[in-house]
Amino acid sequence: MIRTATSEDVPAIYAMVRELAEYEKALDEANATEDQLREALFGERPAAYAHVAVSDDDGDVVGFALWFLNFSTWRGVHGVYLEDLYVRPERRGGGYGKALLTELARICVERGYGRLEWSVLDWNAPSIAFYESLGARPQEEWTVYRLTDGALAELGAA
């Protein structure tokens, strides 16, 4: 079952964010707190949204999709940027990942959004194969750039 996350789901989502960061070999970069996540999802001005996959067997939250809106000047409409998609390893293969992406695609279609996009690490072959099996294609002509930490502070202070 897929449903919109609630504030009560934040501890489970936070734990899975940490699991994902560890899997991506970047746990030391995952500095967000549970309170920050709760504020981002359920504060006065939510910056992101989340859906959770819940096991029919025991009612446990076994996966999540955390996303936010972006905007395409070329298409003139919003899109969804999927920040994180994660299903606990012992629950993979049960259709939860596909169900989460299906729900986000449904939201896009229902609301007239033009894109559903995300990034994937180039070494993450199982995820790449999964995404391509759903019809997703890499945007090889684009390179993602990012400013963080010192470089961001330096440019922002200029």
Side-chain angles (χ1 to χ4, degrees), residues 100-145:
L100 285 162
L101 283 172
T102 298
E103 177 61 11
L104 294 186
R106 186 195 66 74
I107 289 168
C108 288
V109 170
E110 177 182 276
R111 298 180 187 177
Y113 298 162
R115 295 177 178 157
L116 170 56
E117 55 192 0
W118 59 92
S119 296
V120 60
L121 292 165
D122 58 8
W123 55 259
N124 192 345
S127 293
I128 291 168
F130 167 63
Y131 298 143
E132 290 183 353
S133 77
L134 300 176
R137 296 293 172 252
Q139 300 298 296
E140 295 174 359
E141 68 274 15
W142 294 91
T143 300
V144 176
Y145 281 82

Side-chain angles (χ1 to χ4, degrees), residues 26-84:
L27 185 57
D28 59 322
E29 297 175 37
N31 299 318
T33 67
E34 193 172 311
D35 287 338
Q36 286 174 313
L37 184 59
R38 182 175 282 104
E39 180 66 22
L41 292 171
F42 303 105
E44 187 176 318
R45 295 184 65 185
Y49 308 93
H51 285 77
V52 293
V54 180
S55 169
D56 289 334
D57 299 335
D58 53 21
D60 287 347
V61 174
V62 299
F64 77 100
L66 193 143
W67 58 278
F68 54 88
L69 294 179
N70 58 19
F71 185 81
S72 169
T73 56
W74 290 11
R75 291 180 173 237
V77 295
H78 282 293
V80 164
Y81 186 84
L82 174 61
E83 179 65 21
D84 286 331

Side-chain angles (χ1 to χ4, degrees), residues 2 16 19-20 53 62-65 84-100 130:
I2 305 302
M16 288 185 283
E19 292 170 23
L20 176 59
V62 299
F64 77 100
D84 286 331
L85 175 70
Y86 184 76
V87 175
R88 291 208 152 120
E90 66 275 10
R91 302 298 186 123
R92 292 181 188 154
Y96 296 111
K98 182 177 181 181
L100 285 162
F130 167 63

